[in-house]
Structures are given as structure tokens and as C-alpha cells.
Amino acid sequence: MTTIKTPRDLPQIDEFIELEELQELQRCYGRAPVLAACRSCIDNLRQRLLEGSTAETLDSLLAAVSAHVKESQNPKLRRVLNATGTILHTNLGRAPLAQAAVDAVCEVASSYSNLEYDLELGKRGYRTSNIEERMQDIFGVEAAVVVNNNAAAVLLTLAALARGKEVIVSRGELVEIGGSFRVPEVMSESGARLIEVGTTNKTHLKDYRNAINDETAALLKVHRSNFLMEGFTAEVSIEDLHALAEETGLPLIYDLGSGSFSDALTPLLPDEPTIKEALDAKVDLVMFSGDKLLGGPQAGIILGRAEHIAKIKHHPLLRPLRVDKMTLAALEATLLLYSDPDKARENIPLLQMTLVELEDLKARSARLAEKLKSHDIDAELEKSTAVLGGGSSPGVTLDSYNVVVNPAAGQSAQMIDKGLHKADIPVISRIVRDRLHFDLRTIKPEEDNDLSDILITVCKRVQL
Ligand SMILES: *Cc1c(COP(=O)(O)O)cnc(C)c1O
């Protein structure tokens, strides 16, 4: 085995790159990235030798080049295994798409499409007319618009309906979501003036009524989607707000954000508001997230009365906030699944993970724990709870099971966790009191084997 003891032993780059051992890497990643990695690794080794480091082998230099190329060429945005049990994990991409949505994205992304072409009339079409027709059918609404995310939907709606005028909101609903969506700030960016009514814990219908004047453009209700208020509280229902809106001729806008499609689909989330309730209460406009609420792509969906939607569609902000063809393809495929509740339940990961049978989860978790134990890893099955997350359903916890790993002597949970983040498919777990918790609720059954292989490899490798 060739050893490299001094800088003089370092290989010449032109000869080094031709080594048989580096040919496969070049076929895979191209010559330029491999050459750059060779330079960097040789320079690095030269520096270490000059600083008095002991000899290295040619093999270890080759291994360093290979690792360097992979590190630099593999995508930085990557698939991970979410073993946290938090279904809509804000840091992990919120909702995985249904396979039908993925297929639709691939089909449309890799070819031309009728994105802005009307196949019937044989001339230029409107980008979102197909998806809007779908939403009219599925939700039974007069009109619909789709934009990039729900924050954009709120901004655009307020700008189109209330710029330069007043919008009345309860003080109990001036929420911050995800650290950057804050109702008062979005309101001021839209050019509308926020009129706060009521108090933090209680707002009554008369508070809204008393604030209405000639300058009022709309009533806004915001779903407190990421926190609960308990105790001495009162809020005005959308039904009562609708009555006031109708009486005064003002539009009622409902920022639902998260929640669920209908109670029938999510019996486990009885207190979550649904799109159906909002539409039954005849709000003029309701908006929500395509990913948080539907388990589809990131998008902001606005449903409601045609006269208001027309204003939104003609607002100059619509163009900068519009969605691309991949989002439209994924959204339409997801919406199609909702046209049949059974198809939605069986195919949309958000719903599958929410509604998974506890016994199935227990059996899969037990299998994982046994497998780990058979490799001398100290693992056990424990009851736990999972949450929806993603700034939604704050009061809802779902019974779940965790596989809990106790670090071996000479290991810490942090070290294993770090190793898991560096795995070929990084694994995200939760650490509680120096033990690692893995919840299979947010792992697809077909990923179970990947997870156990990674856990075994990492637990065996990590040493203090
Ligand atoms: C999540 C949420 C938003 C922001 O939606 P994004 O899709 O993250 O832009 C706005 N309002 C409410 C009530 C929400 O729950």
C-alpha cells in the first residue's frame, strides 16, 4: 500500500485523476467535480503533512476524494425520514404529497402542457381556469383563486378588497403563525387599516358592530390555528358574523389557514374548523393552505363569492403571487382525490398518517424494537402521543407508540442523533432525557426497513 509521508510523496494531479479507482466517480459525477475534489483533498493533505501530521495511505486519500465529491454533488435539499411523529412538521416540508400528485408533477414538469392554452377554443387560456373549475365542483362555490401560499392569499385579499380602508378584527385573533406571518403586519402591507375590537380573551358581536363606519371595508375572522384559549373567553361565531356582514353589506373574510376538509374525513379532530363549516356559514371568502389543510402542495386557496374573487383576480399583486405549473398539477391531483372521501383517506399521506390504526402502528413499532434488540441495541416500545403540528390543531394529540433507544455505554443521544443526520437518508428523531424517540406514524410502512438499517448502522458506528 502506497503511503504518503511528506509533501514530496503527494501524487501529481494529472496522474492522480487518471487512476482506475477514480474512473467510476467521474462517470457518475463528471470530470470537473472530481478534479476539484482531488485538488482540494491533495492541498488539504499537504497542509496537514506540513503541520507535522503522520503518514497517510493512498487509499485514504482516494476515500477522502470520493466523500468530498459526494458531499459537493449530492443535492443539499434532500429526502429525510421524519420519525418525530409531528405530521405537518414545519421544518421538514409540512406535507408529503400523494403519489397521484407526484405523478402529475412529473408528467407536467417533463413536457409541455396546456398551462395557458385553451384546448377547446384553440387559443390562449387563463393559467388557473382549470383548477378553478375543479374547485367550484368540489367545494360547490361560485369562484376560486389559487396563489403561492396562504399568507399570500390573505395579503392579496386584503389588498384587493380593503386597501386604504378599515378591516375589523378581534384582538383575540391577531395571531402570529410560523414566526413571520403576523396579522397586523400583513394587514399594513396590504394597505388596509387594522381596527382591533374586543379584548384578548373576549370579543362580542357588539364590538364589531360598534366599530363599523363608512370607512369599513370588511370583517376578518382569523382561525387561531396554533394556540388555544381557555377559561374566561368568548369569540363570535362565523354564523353570527355572517348575519352582521349581511345586515351591513360588508364582506366577511375568513382566514382559516389550517383545519380540515370536512368532519367526515377527520373524525379524530372534532374541534378543528372545516372548509365545509365555513362555506355552510356563507362566509364571503375563505382561505386556507394547500399543504396544511389538504395535504397537497404549498398553495393558498381562496374560495367564495364571484364579485370579490373578480377583484382579487384583477389585482396587480396576483401576478407576483401566482403558482407554477408543478404546483397546479399537484393541487389538481390532490383535489381529485378529495372528490371521493375513501380515495382521500387511502391516498393522501396527511390523512393516512392522521388516521393510521393504532394497532398497526404498535405492530410496526414492536417489529422495529425487536430488530434493534437483535442487534444488541437497547430499544423498547413505549406509548406516546403525536401531534399534527405545522401551526395547526394545537389541542389535538393522537395516541401513538414510540420506539425508544437508550444509548449504549460510551454513547450519548446527541451523538447518535448527529450520526442519524449524516446518514445517506438523514433521520430526524426526538431526544427526551438522553433517549431517542422514534414515532413510526410519520414514517411510511415501506420506509420501515430503511429506518431500521440506518439505526443499526449508526448506533453501531457511533462511539464517544
Ligand atoms: C398557516 C396559516 C397562515 C399562513 O399560511 P402559509 O400557507 O404558511 O402561508 C395564515 N393564517 C392562518 C390562520 C394559518 O393557519
Side-chain angles (χ1 to χ4, degrees):
M1 196 186 297
T2 323
T3 46
I4 303 165
K5 295 199 190 91
T6 72
R8 263 177 296 121
D9 303 331
L10 283 167
Q12 287 297 316
I13 187 96
D14 309 347
E15 291 164 19
F16 187 63
I17 184 85
E18 302 304 337
L19 287 181
E20 181 54 37
E21 291 91 326
L22 291 176
Q23 297 315 303
E24 181 57 32
L25 210 54
Q26 292 183 61
R27 271 190 291 278
C28 206
Y29 293 96
R31 186 177 163 87
V34 178
L35 194 61
C38 292
R39 284 218 175 85
S40 163
C41 292
I42 291 175
D43 286 351
N44 189 296
L45 180 53
R46 177 179 300 111
Q47 197 58 38
R48 278 182 289 130
L49 292 170
L50 288 172
E51 284 165 5
S53 164
T54 50
E56 264 197 44
T57 63
L58 187 64
D59 281 354
S60 69
L61 182 59
L62 287 165
V65 168
S66 171
H68 193 290
V69 173
K70 285 178 186 159
E71 172 79 25
S72 71
Q73 296 298 300
N74 282 343
K76 289 190 191 291
L77 176 63
R78 307 160 60 188
R79 166 188 172 207
V80 303
L81 294 178
N82 171 11
T84 65
T86 301
I87 299 174
L88 285 164
H89 200 301
T90 312
N91 305 140
L92 304 181
R94 301 221 286 214
L97 292 179
Q99 190 56 46
V102 175
D103 294 344
V105 171
C106 291
E107 170 102 4
V108 161
S110 59
S111 47
Y112 292 103
S113 61
N114 60 335
L115 179 67
E116 293 185 358
Y117 190 81
D118 189 321
L119 291 171
E120 242 161 68
L121 300 178
K123 59 176 194 169
R124 189 180 198 289
Y126 183 66
R127 171 178 289 240
T128 50
S129 49
N130 291 321
I131 198 87
E132 284 161 17
E133 274 174 34
R134 282 273 180 232
M135 294 198 283
Q136 285 164 345
D137 287 348
I138 288 178
F139 298 107
V141 289
E142 283 179 17
V145 193
V146 52
V147 289
N148 198 23
N149 52 41
N150 191 50
V154 178
L155 175 71
L156 177 60
T157 301
L158 292 173
L161 267 59
R163 172 158 287 171
K165 301 196 87 182
E166 297 180 353
V167 175
I168 303 174
V169 191
S170 159
R171 287 199 169 88
E173 296 174 4
L174 296 176
V175 303
E176 169 174 314
I177 291 163
S180 55
F181 177 89
R182 306 177 102 193
V183 171
E185 288 170 11
V186 173
M187 184 80 74
S188 80
E189 286 304 315
S190 76
R193 287 197 301 283
L194 169 66
I195 302 299
E196 305 174 16
V197 297
T199 61
T200 304
N201 55 327
K202 280 202 172 197
T203 302
H204 305 283
L205 191 60
K206 66 175 190 300
D207 297 322
Y208 288 91
R209 187 187 292 282
N210 291 342
I212 294 174
N213 64 53
D214 290 347
E215 287 294 293
T216 310
L219 307 178
L220 173 65
K221 181 152 185 76
V222 183
H223 173 206
R224 283 190 297 265
S225 50
N226 59 0
F227 71 104
L228 289 179
M229 289 209 322
E230 283 181 355
F232 192 60
T233 64
E235 66 177 298
V236 182
S237 69
I238 37 175
E239 288 78 11
D240 288 347
L241 278 176
H242 168 67
L244 179 63
E246 196 160 54
E247 180 194 324
T248 52
L250 292 168
L252 170 60
I253 303 168
Y254 185 19
D255 174 16
L256 178 60
S258 66
S260 84
F261 185 84
S262 74
D263 283 333
L265 267 178
T266 40
L268 297 171
L269 314 174
D271 298 330
E272 279 299 283
T274 66
I275 303 172
K276 187 169 178 310
E277 275 162 25
L279 296 175
D280 287 350
K282 300 202 184 68
V283 300
D284 294 272
L285 293 172
V286 57
M287 56 217 59
F288 52 88
S289 282
D291 51 355
K292 276 198 297 192
L293 193 142
L294 295 177
Q298 176 193 303
I301 293 157
I302 312 172
L303 306 176
R305 298 261 302 276
E307 58 170 306
H308 304 307
I309 299 271
K311 285 188 192 155
I312 292 170
K313 278 190 180 169
H314 290 110
H315 194 277
L317 266 179
L318 182 71
R319 177 65 173 75
L321 300 178
R322 75 180 183 182
V323 287
D324 75 329
K325 58 189 175 186
M326 291 185 269
T327 300
L328 287 170
L331 184 58
E332 183 174 19
T334 306
L335 284 169
L336 273 173
L337 293 172
Y338 275 99
S339 56
D340 173 14
D342 288 334
K343 272 203 295 187
R345 266 192 292 265
E346 283 160 23
N347 292 288
I348 295 176
L350 170 66
L351 298 177
Q352 290 173 313
M353 290 172 179
T354 307
L355 301 172
V356 67
E357 290 290 339
L358 194 57
E359 283 310 306
D360 289 347
L361 204 55
K362 185 178 180 186
R364 287 169 55 206
S365 306
R367 267 200 300 279
L368 174 60
E370 284 312 312
K371 181 115 178 250
L372 296 179
K373 278 195 245 176
S374 74
H375 284 80
D376 294 326
I377 295 165
D378 183 359
E380 56 199 319
L381 187 63
E382 281 185 12
K383 275 198 157 156
S384 71
T385 51
V387 294
L388 244 68
S392 71
S393 318
V396 178
T397 51
L398 304 165
D399 288 335
S400 215
Y401 279 92
N402 276 184
V403 174
V404 181
V405 170
N406 290 296
Q411 293 182 334
S412 71
Q414 265 78 19
M415 297 192 62
I416 299 174
D417 195 44
K418 256 193 188 162
L420 291 173
H421 293 173
K422 289 203 191 110
D424 285 342
I425 310 170
V427 175
I428 315 296
S429 69
R430 283 185 313 123
I431 299 179
V432 185
R433 284 185 230 101
D434 202 40
R435 302 194 313 158
L436 296 135
H437 288 241
F438 300 90
D439 192 326
L440 297 189
R441 181 183 287 275
T442 43
I443 299 285
K444 294 179 192 152
E446 60 269 26
E447 294 174 324
D448 284 1
N449 284 336
D450 282 341
L451 178 63
S452 67
D453 290 349
I454 294 166
L455 285 185
I456 291 163
T457 315
V458 172
C459 287
K460 292 277 140 196
R461 199 171 52 204
V462 169
Q463 298 286 335
L464 270 181

